[in-house]
Every structure is written in C-alpha cells, then in structure tokens.
Amino acid sequence: MAADDEIPWPPAGQDVDPLGDPFLRTRFVLPARPVTFLRRRRLVERLHHAMTTPLVLVEGAAGAGKTLLVADWAADLDGPVAWLTVDEGVRRPGMFWAHLIKALHTADVPLPDDIGFPSDGRQVDRTLLNRLAARLSGHSTGVTVVIDEYDKAVPEVSEQLAFVLHHAGPGLRLVLVTRTEPLLPLHRYRAAGELTEIRDADLAFTPEEAVELLEAHGLRLPLAAADDLVDRTRGWAAGLRLCALAARQSPDPELYLKEFEAGHSTVADFLLAEVLQRQPPLTQDLLLRVSVLERFCADLADTLTGRADAAPILAELHHANAFVEDLGHSWYRLHPLFREILGVHLRERCPGLEPELHRRAAHWLRRSGALPEMVSHGAAAGDWEFTARALVDDLAIGQLFTGLCSDDLAGLFAGMEPTTTPESDLVQAARDLARHDLDRGLAHLRHAKEHLAEDAGLPAAQLSCALLEALAARLSGSLSGAEQAARAARELQREVPGHLLDRHPELPALLLTHVGSARLWAGHLQEARAALTLVTGDQGGASTAVPRQESLVHLALIDYLDGWPDKAQRHVSAARAESERFSLPEHADSGLGGVVMAAVAVERDELERARTLLDQTPAGETPDPVTAAGRSLVTARLLLAEGKARAALAAAATDVPADFASPWAEEHNALVTASAHLAEGRPEAAADVLRELRTEQPACAVGMARAHLAAGDPSTALGVLDAMPGAQHVGPAVRVRATLVRAQAAHADGDEATARRLLTDALLAGRRDRLRRPFREAGAWITPLLARTPLRELAAGWLTPGEAAPGAGAEPAPVLVEPLSEREHDVLVRLARMMSTEEIAADLFVSVNTVKTHVKNLHRKLAVNRRTDAVRQARRLGLL
C-alpha cells in the first residue's frame, strides 16, 4: 500500500479521509467540558474582547487548560465556529487543509463546489487557498476557526495559514490553541494591534480560582492553603485538577493538598507521559540531572551531563512549553512539580548519582561566584570540607549571620558533620554564634585558632576568626575583647587581596557594629555612637543592610538612655525602612528595635502598646546582653507604670548573661528600684539605692532629687538638681522630670507662680514627644494646676482630654474603622506636627509615594477626608 501522503483525496461529499477510513468526527467537535469545569470569567472576557482582532493565540503547556477555555468561550458565540483538532494524521499541508475545509462544512459555512479538496496529502495547491480566502472574505458575519493542538502541524502550514488569514480579511477570525509559538509573523500582528494573546502565565489559576475549582470537586480549602497549593503548582490547571481528584479519596483532603508527594501521583503520571516520555533519551537524561538545581544555564547543565548540547535542548524545551521556564540571561528553571517528580525518578533510575550531581554543581558554582547556591549543593553532596573552605576563602563567613539568606545558610550547616580543618571549625563557630550559643562557639573558635597558629598562610581564615572573636566578645559583654579583635582584623586586612575585601563591605560594618555594641554595654555611649554612626552612613546596599539595621536600633537605645525618645523612634523607623527595603529576615535587629519602641511607648503612657511590643520579643529570644538588659529595663518600667512595684523590682533584678557588668544597665535598674521604693512610700530607701551608685548621670541625679523631695527635703532636692552635670544637654525625658521636681518644690513652698511657670516649661518640653509618663509620675499635686487656663490649653489633646467648644452639642463617639499599623501611626504623629509630605518622607526614610499611601489609609481608617480632620479625630480616639 502506498504511503498516506501519496493517496489522492476522495471527492467532496464523501466522509472519508485520504486513507479510505471514515472521518474522525471528534476532530471537528468542541471538546465536552467536565462537570467540575470552572469557567474563568477573566479569561473568557479577554476572549470576548478578542472579537475585534483577526488572530487569537492561546499558548501554554500541556494541561494548562487551553482547550477547555476556548471550547467554553466558543460554545457561546453567535456566528459559525469551525473547530479542528490537529493530530498526527492531519499535520501535513494537504491533510490539514482538507480537514479544515471539512471543519467549515461541519460548521455550516457555505462554500462553493469549486473550492474542492487537496489532491495530495503532502501539499496543497495555492489556487485552492486563493479560492478559500476569497470565499471567506465575502462572509457577512465572519467565521471563527479554532485550531486546537496547532503545534502538531508542520511548519509549512503556518505560511499558508498566514496567507489565507491575510486575504480573508474580516471574514475570518483565527484562534490557535498551541503548546508552542507558531511560525506566523506575530510581530506584524502585534504592531498592527491585530493579535490577542493568552499565554501560560495568564492561564495559571489564581488562589481565588483554585478555591472555586476545589469547591467544584467537593473540597473546601482556606484561601491561604489554596495560595500555597497554587505556589507549588504554579497555578497549573491539570495539576490542580489531579490534586483535587486525589484529595477527594483522602480522609484529610486539606492535609493531603498541603503535603502530597508529587513523585508518585496522578500528577507524576501526567507529566511523565505528556512531557518527559515525549522527549528523546538525551533530553530525558538532561532533565533528570538538572532536577537537582533550583536554576541552571547551559554550561552548568553540561557540567552535570558531561556533554555539550544543553543550549539548544533547553531553548527547544522552553519554546515547546515543556515546563522549562526562561528566567532571562540564558538561565532556566523547571516547573516546581515537574522538578519534584523528576527528582524522585532520578533517584529511582540512577541510585547514588544525586550526591555526585550536587558535587559537580557546587564546584561549578564555586568558580562562578554563586555562593549561597554553592553552599546548598555542597551541603547536599555532604562535601563539608570543600564547602567550608570555599565559604571562608571567599571571606563570606559573615554572611552566615548578616546576609539576606542567612537563615537558609545557617540551616544548611545545621547538619554539618564534625571535621578537623580550621575552615570547618570557623563555620561551626559562626553557626553557633549566630544561634547565640556562646560556649559552643568559643570552643570551635579555640580549635580554629590552634590550627591557624600552625599555618600562617591563611589570611582569609585568620580575618574570619578575628571577626567571630569580635562577635563573641560582644555577646559576652567584653569591650576589651571586641576592640582587640577589631585591631587584629584591621591588621589582617592588609594581607587579604583588595578585590576580595571589596566584595565584602559587610566585614568592616560588622566589626564596627560589634565594637559599637560592646562600647554601649560598657557605658561608653558617645564612643559607641561614633562607631555605630559610621556603619549607618555606609552605602553598601544589601550586603551591609543587617549591620546598618542593628546599628540604627543601637543608636535608638542610646537616644532613649540619653532622654530623647523622639530621636529614638526616628532611628527605629530608619531601621524598619532598611528592613522593608531589603526584605531582611524577621528580627534581624535581635528584637532591640521593638524593645526601644516599647520604652518610648511607656514614656508616652501607651501601656497596652508597650506590652504588645514587648510580647513580640519574648525574653528567651534576646540574643545579646544589650537587648536582654534593655528588655528587662523596659519591662520593669512598664510594670511600674501599671502600679506593680514588686513585680518591677523582680524584673529589674533579672540576670543578664554577660561576663562583664554594664554601668548603664546598673544605673537604670537602680532608678527603677528607687522608683519602686518611692511608689511604696520609702523615699529613704530610694535615696540609699541611688547614693550607692556614685554616678554623675543626669537621670540618676533627677531620681535622687525626687527621693529627697518625697522625704520632705526640697532644699536638698534642688541642690542636687543645681549640681546635675551636663544639665544643658539632657534630653526632654530627663529635662521634663527635673523641671517637674522644681515645680513640685515650688508648689510645696507655696510659690504658685513659680510652680505654674515651671509646669508651663515642662508642658512645652514634653508636648513634642508626647511625654505623658513624667506627669503621671509627678503625683496628685499637678491635677489642680492643669485644670486652670492656660495650662489646661497646653495639656489639652495630648496629656488631658480636649474639651468641646462652648455650646456645642454632644457628638457621637468616634469609631476607628480598623487598627492603625505601626508605620501609619508614625505618619499620624508627624501630621500632628504639621510636617509636610516631603518632611515626613525624609524623617521616616521612605519615599513620598509611600507617605501618600499611608495618609490615604489614615483617612480611610479614621473616616475623614483631610489631614487636619485626621489629627483631630485621632486625638478624640486617644491615638495622639
């Protein structure tokens, strides 16, 4: 029997194909939609809008939902719709055009008898195409022709189809459903606005659509769980449907959809049959091997296969929508489910090959400088010595606890097996110190130093060791240890190649941060400020984002200790801006920023907010002595503000894990203890506590003055304040308290004029920072004075409730639509200070557009339309 493409086409009227078999009518019928089919309105609407363009392209991977989408849309069209599904028997030009003409007949499109059919299954006469185009061009309502699985047609068909489409004009609307981009001049159609495209990304299900699809299968899944499933499947329609069908058989469908193993599932069967097994053996081998990679380029793939043919194979796989995604710049990745399935089959087909592939990938990535990925593959290969050496030689040891991928890196080394090289000891020390395990970290550091003492030719390892010693000193509270390590590091930098240092600006930033923190712990606040300010002024980008954030929150603590809560808040805001800008890991600042904001909230008498902020930084998670002491101090002050003096004493006495004492921690804990004694009516005990300190800190002098005043000795109290060192430089939190002591002394002496004048000064000094707590601490004597004009007006709205205008009717109580976010509250505070949008943006270290967005949210939540109304409403709600 002759080949099929040589058999002449039978006369028109016979429903017989060129092989002499009856027509396969399923080629001309719209596919039936299953009961569980979900109409996706957003895509159907796009197809409806496509009625104005002559060409519609629906392109996507196998199982993307292309065919059912178009069939669902086409079923509702008013005009004639001709449907043709291409298969192996229809792919050549003669066969294709014969079947397309048959599809038009089936759709009742009137065609003259002289159209005819191709006489040869291999080719088509151009005259037939001319006649067909001419007939379609005269069709009054236009004909929609849908060609499904168009990717199976041979390339010559595309040229012929373009000819007919062009000459048929408005009489033909062509819809191509395909896995690959057709060889049509798509750029011309795009330029002319005559092309509608629905691609793989458009076909992907959204989480909301996934919820609807699962409901159609009798499953109810929360949106968050659907979001995770969509992320895992990339919204792939067939994957979601197959998962839903399998989940219906599970006793816990939600758990199944969360944890199902794709390697042996109906999803795997589909992908293996529709994608992998359709590829030639060499392509299958490449796909299996690159399944160990998150992303890959041709050279890396060649390294894994030992061949040199990856570039054309990967390009073709991507072009064919074979679940190989193009990331740009010649890099690719596999669809996550496909990768997962391939990984399972790699282990089954080639046992023991996976570690070798990881090892090859690690060495390739080491040469290319892709450090985090190199570590991942080195760990997967179990090649710990190579991985640790690469990390240390590259001076990347600091990235274990400062990089944006620090959590991932630390996790990879969690399974590190014990080794005896100095690099391995350094990595294990870094891992332990990053987890704040000081004892284990120091043990590994000692082993590393012993090895390095025997080999002086490892400057990168020695510099890494000095960096870790500075961190260890900071965690133990040793200023001398931190500064000694920093000096050693500066000396070692001379021996390290300059290009290597240039790649790691985080190293000097980390050293300064460790030294600054140690100086802060030692009570050298101004020296600490100098070191930390150098770090915050660095413009190193993402690599120094973590030390910048840490330095900013340390500066915030110094501001708070110096009595400048508003400055402290600005530094915390700047730290949070760094976190938002670079998406830093949660609590990259060790939680110190939240502790400082809680301290500021206590000063403003926002006690619930302070408690919430402290709860977000549990006591067991304070990793260094500065944060631990700060948290104990703020907890104690909050308890005092809540009237719990005994509990405050206990909180102040909490031990902080450090080898050296901190002067500022001792001073402020003594202040808390003295305040607790005052609250319980023991002024002499309060004075004794502060007297034992022998300090010249202004805050302690104010505490001593309060104790003498409470003991009935105003002259001694005033004498202490007169002798207070640096009184002209103290922050408002200290200055307001000192002024209130003087005002109380004047009030007790019967000098009401002086008392009112001093109280006016205190109100003016405290209003900007909303310092309510010093006035609450002052006692009952202040209340009658605040009830009189003009003090009442100075206090109204921020210290005491504002009053309605005379004669005004009672207004309904305002209602907050939803709680304000931390950043919205920051913006609101600055609106109350009459700051412009640009000033707020500069103050919070964010863009003008970000401020505008926060202002819009404030208007919505406060149910107002103007800034002034927002401030007024916030005051009525007690937000300011």
Side-chain angles (χ1 to χ4, degrees):
M1 186 175 179
D4 65 303
D5 56 7
E6 297 175 352
I7 295 179
W9 185 259
Q14 296 185 17
D15 285 353
V16 184
D17 72 6
L19 294 176
D21 296 326
F23 258 123
L24 300 178
R25 297 185 186 278
T26 52
R27 292 170 177 166
F28 312 112
V29 178
L30 272 67
R33 283 149 287 167
V35 176
T36 56
F37 173 76
L38 174 70
R39 166 170 280 202
R40 294 194 278 166
R41 296 171 185 83
R42 62 181 177 91
L43 297 179
V44 172
E45 285 298 318
R46 285 184 62 176
L47 288 172
H48 281 317
H49 293 150
M51 299 294 284
T52 59
T53 61
L55 179 60
V56 178
L57 178 64
V58 181
E59 179 194 348
K66 309 179 294 297
T67 300
L68 290 179
L69 167 68
V70 176
D72 179 52
W73 165 73
D76 292 337
L77 294 181
D78 293 332
V81 177
W83 184 283
L84 172 61
T85 299
V86 179
D87 56 30
E88 289 300 317
V90 185
R91 60 193 300 267
R92 301 195 180 194
M95 301 290 284
F96 175 86
W97 287 105
H99 279 77
L100 185 56
I101 292 170
K102 177 60 180 178
L104 292 167
H105 282 301
T106 304
D108 294 327
V109 177
L111 295 176
D113 293 338
D114 64 353
I115 289 291
F117 286 91
S119 59
D120 188 339
R122 294 175 301 180
Q123 56 191 353
V124 63
D125 189 274
R126 183 57 64 101
T127 304
L128 184 149
L129 300 180
N130 285 332
R131 290 197 301 269
L132 180 60
R135 180 64 189 89
L136 291 173
S137 68
H139 199 282
S140 57
T141 60
V143 178
T144 300
V145 174
V146 179
I147 305 178
D148 190 20
E149 299 193 42
Y150 181 73
D151 47 282
K152 294 180 180 177
V154 296
E156 300 96 294
V157 169
S158 291
E159 180 185 354
Q160 298 158 4
L161 198 57
F163 171 83
V164 173
L165 179 62
H166 174 69
H167 291 285
L172 173 62
R173 183 179 307 106
L174 182 61
V175 181
L176 300 181
V177 183
T178 175
R179 293 189 187 183
T180 63
E181 188 169 285
L183 296 176
L184 293 170
L186 297 180
H187 60 285
R188 296 180 187 172
Y189 292 103
R190 289 192 187 103
E194 297 177 342
L195 172 63
T196 298
E197 299 177 83
I198 296 180
R199 301 278 185 165
D200 224 24
D202 305 307
L203 292 165
F205 273 65
T206 66
E208 291 78 11
E209 290 171 341
V211 169
E212 289 187 61
L213 178 66
L214 293 168
E215 285 180 352
H217 286 77
L219 302 173
R220 291 192 176 276
L221 197 66
L223 184 59
D227 192 27
D228 292 337
L229 182 61
V230 167
D231 184 58
R232 187 176 179 190
T233 61
R234 292 278 199 274
W236 177 47
L240 290 170
R241 292 183 190 279
L242 293 169
C243 287
L245 290 170
R248 289 200 304 189
Q249 311 302 318
S250 171
D252 189 341
E254 184 174 342
L255 182 63
Y256 174 85
L257 291 171
K258 181 180 180 181
E259 300 180 353
F260 75 93
E261 296 181 3
H264 296 96
S265 65
T266 53
V267 179
D269 296 338
F270 182 96
L271 284 173
L272 293 173
E274 289 291 325
V275 183
L276 184 64
Q277 292 170 9
R278 289 190 176 196
Q279 308 301 331
L282 290 179
T283 301
Q284 292 190 34
D285 178 68
L286 182 145
L287 286 170
L288 287 168
R289 288 171 181 260
V290 297
S291 67
V292 303
L293 301 166
E294 287 281 351
R295 64 186 188 111
F296 46 88
C297 63
D299 189 41
L300 177 53
D302 285 337
T303 298
L304 268 58
T305 63
R307 309 195 308 266
D309 56 357
I313 292 177
L314 292 173
E316 176 57 29
L317 287 168
H318 171 65
H319 178 71
N321 277 317
F323 293 87
V324 175
E325 303 171 11
D326 188 347
L327 300 177
H329 305 288
S330 301
W331 282 84
Y332 301 87
R333 70 179 175 190
L334 296 173
H335 184 286
L337 272 183
F338 193 33
R339 180 185 175 216
E340 190 177 340
I341 292 163
L342 290 173
V344 171
H345 284 264
L346 170 68
R347 289 187 284 275
E348 291 180 351
R349 292 190 189 185
C350 309
L353 178 60
E354 191 174 10
E356 171 60 18
L357 294 175
H358 282 297
R359 188 190 66 79
R360 292 186 195 180
H363 283 262
W364 187 94
L365 292 163
R366 172 75 177 98
R367 294 192 299 272
S368 67
L371 183 75
E373 291 170 283
M374 180 279 294
V375 173
S376 175
H377 289 287
D383 195 345
W384 297 111
E385 289 191 11
F386 164 79
T387 307
R389 187 178 305 110
L391 195 72
V392 172
D393 288 349
D394 194 60
L395 274 186
I397 198 76
Q399 294 185 12
L400 268 174
F401 41 87
T402 65
L404 303 187
C405 301
S406 57
D407 290 344
D408 295 335
L409 287 174
L412 289 171
F413 280 103
M416 186 175 183
E417 299 173 359
T419 57
T420 57
T421 66
E423 293 88 355
S424 298
D425 274 318
L426 288 172
V427 168
Q428 291 179 89
R431 181 195 64 191
D432 293 331
L433 293 175
R435 295 183 305 183
H436 318 117
D437 188 340
L438 185 58
D439 292 337
R440 289 172 63 89
L442 287 172
H444 285 300
L445 270 180
R446 283 194 296 272
H447 293 155
K449 289 188 71 173
E450 291 171 2
H451 290 298
L452 290 172
E454 302 170 2
D455 189 347
L458 299 172
Q462 292 171 330
L463 178 55
S464 299
C465 186
L467 170 67
L468 295 177
E469 287 184 307
L471 172 59
R474 166 188 170 180
L475 296 178
S476 65
S478 172
L479 175 59
S480 61
E483 294 192 328
Q484 181 179 349
R487 286 193 296 270
R490 285 192 289 271
E491 292 293 325
L492 288 165
Q493 285 178 12
R494 302 173 184 174
E495 303 177 28
V496 176
H499 68 87
L500 195 56
L501 290 173
D502 292 341
R503 290 213 310 266
H504 292 285
E506 76 274 5
L507 291 179
L510 280 169
L511 283 167
L512 281 171
T513 304
H514 298 333
V515 169
S517 180
R519 288 176 178 175
L520 170 56
W521 178 251
H524 302 170
L525 302 190
Q526 297 315 308
E527 292 87 344
R529 186 185 293 276
L532 297 167
T533 301
L534 285 175
V535 179
T536 61
D538 173 71
Q539 300 299 321
S543 60
T544 56
V546 171
R548 275 201 307 277
Q549 186 192 38
E550 276 204 288
S551 294
L552 284 165
V553 295
H554 277 73
L555 287 171
L557 178 60
I558 294 173
D559 291 331
Y560 169 73
L561 295 175
D562 283 343
W564 297 89
D566 196 57
K567 288 183 179 179
Q569 180 175 349
R570 287 203 297 273
H571 271 123
V572 174
S573 294
R576 289 177 176 171
E578 288 288 320
S579 181
E580 292 175 5
R581 181 183 174 193
F582 295 104
S583 299
L584 299 181
E586 189 176 1
H587 289 312
D589 65 355
S590 304
L592 183 56
V595 168
V596 174
M597 288 307 299
V600 173
V602 171
E603 286 292 273
R604 294 171 177 169
D605 209 42
E606 299 166 353
L607 305 187
E608 289 186 12
R609 183 161 177 261
R611 175 63 62 192
T612 299
L613 289 165
L614 282 178
D615 289 343
Q616 293 171 355
T617 311
E621 297 181 10
T622 48
D624 58 55
V626 169
T627 305
R631 192 185 192 288
S632 295
L633 169 63
V634 178
T635 300
R637 289 192 170 174
L638 174 59
L639 290 167
L640 268 178
E642 293 172 338
K644 303 171 183 176
R646 291 290 175 183
L649 286 170
T654 301
D655 288 333
V656 174
D659 295 337
F660 300 87
S662 170
W664 68 262
E666 290 183 346
E667 291 162 359
H668 283 269
N669 282 340
L671 272 173
V672 169
T673 302
S675 296
H677 287 318
L678 284 176
E680 295 188 333
R682 297 191 298 275
E684 295 82 2
D688 289 342
V689 168
L690 294 172
R691 193 177 293 112
E692 291 176 1
L693 282 177
R694 302 183 182 277
T695 179
E696 296 183 353
Q697 284 297 320
C700 292
V702 175
M704 180 68 80
R706 287 185 63 209
H708 285 300
L709 185 60
D713 190 356
S715 60
T716 301
L718 294 175
V720 170
L721 292 179
D722 291 338
M724 184 172 68
Q728 67 276 21
H729 300 300
V730 297
V734 178
R735 188 165 64 252
V736 167
R737 285 181 168 86
T739 304
L740 287 173
V741 170
R742 293 183 183 277
Q744 185 178 359
H747 175 73
D749 196 38
D751 188 352
E752 292 297 314
T754 299
R756 285 197 299 273
R757 177 179 58 79
L758 290 169
L759 189 51
T760 298
D761 292 343
L763 288 168
L764 291 171
R767 182 168 60 179
R768 175 179 173 83
D769 288 36
R770 307 194 311 283
L771 296 174
R772 303 183 186 93
R773 177 54 23 200
F775 294 92
R776 305 281 189 264
E777 294 170 352
W781 68 271
I782 202 173
T783 303
L785 294 179
L786 291 178
R788 303 175 189 172
T789 304
L791 297 180
R792 181 179 61 187
E793 296 174 355
L794 284 175
W798 69 276
L799 181 60
T800 60
E803 295 182 354
E811 297 183 14
V815 177
L816 186 61
V817 176
E818 62 181 277
L820 303 186
S821 68
E822 185 75 32
R823 185 50 57 88
E824 288 164 357
H825 189 273
D826 293 340
V827 171
L828 178 62
V829 168
R830 285 153 180 79
L831 289 178
R833 297 176 191 161
M834 304 299 289
M835 295 173 68
S836 68
T837 301
E838 291 74 14
E839 290 171 335
I840 296 174
D843 204 36
L844 293 179
F845 300 92
V846 297
S847 70
V848 170
N849 285 336
T850 299
V851 174
K852 289 179 179 177
T853 299
H854 289 314
V855 171
K856 288 180 181 177
N857 290 339
L858 284 170
H859 288 173
R860 175 177 58 82
K861 293 181 178 182
L862 295 170
V864 298
N865 296 315
R866 297 185 303 174
R867 293 184 173 201
T868 53
D869 292 339
V871 173
R872 188 177 297 111
Q873 183 80 316
R875 283 179 173 148
R876 293 175 66 202
L877 289 163
L879 300 175
L880 289 172

